[in-house]
C-alpha cells in the first residue's frame, strides 16, 4: 500500500510555533508543541515525518484556528479535529480517545484514565502512552496529572512548566493563585 503524501504547516500560537502534519484526507497524523522557534519545530517534524512537505494550512485551516484559539485563551475544543491513528498502537489509541474527551478546564489523573479504560492499576502505562502522544495538544496530555493532582511529567519543551502554563490558560490552577497571578 502506498504511503499518503504528508504535508505540514508551522502555526504561530500564543505559546510559540506549533506544527500540524496531515495526510491527503486532511486528517492530522501528528502535531508538535513549540520547540524553541519555527526552525526547531520544522526540524522536529522532519525528524518524525521525513517525507512531509511544508505547505499552506488551507486543508486544515479549521484545526489551525482551533489550536491557536485554545492556546491563546483556553477556549474551545480540538475534539472534532480528524486524526489518523492508523500507526498508533491499540492501547495508546484507546487512551487517546479517553483523554481527548477531557474538556478544557478539567483534568484527570493517570489512574483515573486507567480506570476509565477498564485497566485499573495501569496508571504507569497511561503515563507512557501520554509520553508517546503524537498529537499534542489535540490529544490534551497536559490535562492528565499524577496522583494527588501533581503535575507529573511532560515531554514538551519547557517540561512541567509548559504543562502548568497550558492548564492555567484553561483556568486550572494546581496551586491557589497569589495576588501577583491575578
Amino acid at each position: 500500500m502506498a504511503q499518503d503524501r504528508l504535508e505540514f504547516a508551522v502555526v504561530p500560537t500564543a505559546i510559540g510555533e506549533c506544527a500540524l502534519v496531515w495526510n491527503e484526507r486532511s486528517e492530522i497524523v501528528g502535531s508538535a508543541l513549540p520547540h524553541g522557534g519555527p526552525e526547531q519545530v520544522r526540524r522536529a517534524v522532519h525528524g518524525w515525518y521525513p517525507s512531509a512537505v511544508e505547505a499552506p494550512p488551507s486543508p486544515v485551516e479549521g484545526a489551525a484556528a482551533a489550536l491557536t484559539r485554545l492556546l491563546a485563551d483556553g477556549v474551545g475544543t480540538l475534539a472534532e479535529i480528524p486524526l489518523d491513528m492508523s500507526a498508533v498502537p491499540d492501547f495508546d489509541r484507546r487512551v487517546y480517545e479517553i483523554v481527548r474527551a477531557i474538556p478544557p478546564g478539567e483534568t484527570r489523573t493517570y489512574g483515573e484514565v486507567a480506570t476509565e479504560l477498564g485497566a485499573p492499576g495501569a496508571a504507569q502505562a497511561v503515563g507512557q502512552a501520554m509520553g508517546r502522544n503524537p498529537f499534542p495538544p489535540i490529544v490534551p496530555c497536559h490535562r492528565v496529572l499524577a496522583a494527588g493532582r501533581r503535575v507529573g511529567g511532560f515531554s514538551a519543551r519547557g517540561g512541567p512548566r509548559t504543562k502548568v502554563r497550558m492548564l492555567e490558560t484553561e483556568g486550572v490552577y494546581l496551586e491557589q493563585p497569589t495576588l501577583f497571578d491575578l
Side-chain angles (χ1 to χ4, degrees), residues 115-142:
T115 297
E116 190 172 336
L117 187 64
Q124 186 175 14
V126 168
Q128 291 167 347
M130 293 290 86
R132 291 187 294 268
N133 178 11
F135 307 105
I138 300 167
V139 170
C141 50
H142 65 284

Side-chain angles (χ1 to χ4, degrees), residues 28 39 70 86 104 112 165:
I28 302 297
E39 288 310 311
L70 180 73
S86 61
E112 289 169 334
R165 183 175 171 200

Side-chain angles (χ1 to χ4, degrees), residues 27-121:
E27 298 166 324
I28 302 297
V29 298
S31 55
L33 288 169
H35 278 70
E39 288 310 311
Q40 291 90 332
V41 82
R42 282 182 182 97
R43 277 197 298 277
V45 167
H46 280 130
W48 301 321
Y49 306 98
S51 66
V53 175
E54 191 165 4
S58 357
V60 294
E61 225 167 72
L67 173 71
T68 302
R69 182 166 183 215
L70 180 73
L71 294 176
D73 58 21
V75 175
T77 179
L78 307 179
E80 299 304 315
I81 295 173
L83 300 180
D84 177 354
M85 289 203 208
S86 61
V88 174
D90 183 60
F91 178 84
D92 292 12
R93 182 187 49 74
R94 291 173 38 228
V95 168
Y96 300 158
E97 288 168 355
I98 290 168
V99 170
R100 203 163 181 214
I102 303 170
E106 292 186 23
T107 62
R108 303 287 185 279
T109 64
Y110 298 113
E112 289 169 334
V113 172
T115 297
E116 190 172 336
L117 187 64

Side-chain angles (χ1 to χ4, degrees), residues 5-10 42 46 52-56:
R5 173 185 164 87
L6 299 179
E7 296 181 325
F8 78 95
V10 175
R42 282 182 182 97
H46 280 130
V53 175
E54 191 165 4

